[in-house]
Amino acid sequence: MAIRKLARMGHPILKARAREVENLDDPEIPRLIEDMVDTLRDEGGVGLAAPQVYAGLRIVMFMVPDERLAEGETESVPLTTLINPVIEPLTDETVLGWEGCLSVPGLRGAVPRIARIRYHGLMPDGQRIEREAEGFHARVVQHECDHLDGILYPMRMTDMTTLHFVSEMRHNAHIEAEDEV
Ligand code: NI
């Protein structure tokens, strides 16, 4: 196991399109995924994409812990690793929600995301997974997959006045804390 260094906003790897994983038998892939899990757990985040640890491959991981379930949502999502993920919007509707990012440390902003999506990809054992998602689940998947296309959440923001340092949150009592992803 190894905790990897995190790339932060400004590093070219976070602006580049990550490439598809073509060979799941490459021993580097499980090693990378294991290190990503270690790094995510060490940081206490809820999602991570391979470019954030300087690996330009289409691999993301995310989870939805119980405490992140919005009203009406009933199922938390255990840590899921997706290789070559693809997102399909199921609605035109967008919802605003707070996001942070391990590559943009200390900041939070309100980001519009598609309210309901279907996504698919491969699990590390090669099995195909397909799910529908809404709420925070849909949000974290969109956030992580954006990393694979060189997009950081501030680039999705429509109201930059909501961008703020977490350390100033005491001045913004209406803003809830969010994990970095
Ligand atoms: Ni992020």
Side-chain angles (χ1 to χ4, degrees), residues 163-180:
L163 191 65
H164 64 274
F165 286 100
V166 181
S167 55
E168 300 289 358
M169 273 192 352
R170 65 187 184 280
H171 305 300
N172 299 271
H174 58 289
I175 293 174
E176 290 171 31
E178 293 283 340
D179 296 312
E180 292 178 324

Side-chain angles (χ1 to χ4, degrees), residues 47 52 100-103 143-144 147 152-153 181:
Q52 293 183 275
C101 181
L102 294 169
S103 296
H143 177 117
E144 298 314 327
H147 276 298
L152 297 174
Y153 80 80
V181 291

Side-chain angles (χ1 to χ4, degrees), residues 51-92:
Q52 293 183 275
V53 293
Y54 300 88
L57 290 168
R58 301 187 82 78
I59 302 175
V60 296
M61 57 182 56
F62 51 86
M63 60 184 155
V64 181
D66 282 339
E67 64 268 22
R68 301 304 295 274
L69 293 177
E71 210 167 312
E73 289 180 89
T74 52
E75 277 185 65
S76 56
V77 179
L79 183 62
T80 300
T81 300
L82 274 188
I83 297 163
N84 301 337
V86 174
I87 293 177
E88 177 193 342
L90 294 178
T91 174
D92 292 333

Side-chain angles (χ1 to χ4, degrees), residues 24-39:
L24 276 181
D25 297 328
D26 180 346
E28 283 301 319
I29 301 297
R31 204 168 300 151
L32 169 62
I33 290 170
E34 194 177 313
D35 287 356
M36 285 175 67
V37 172
D38 292 341
T39 306

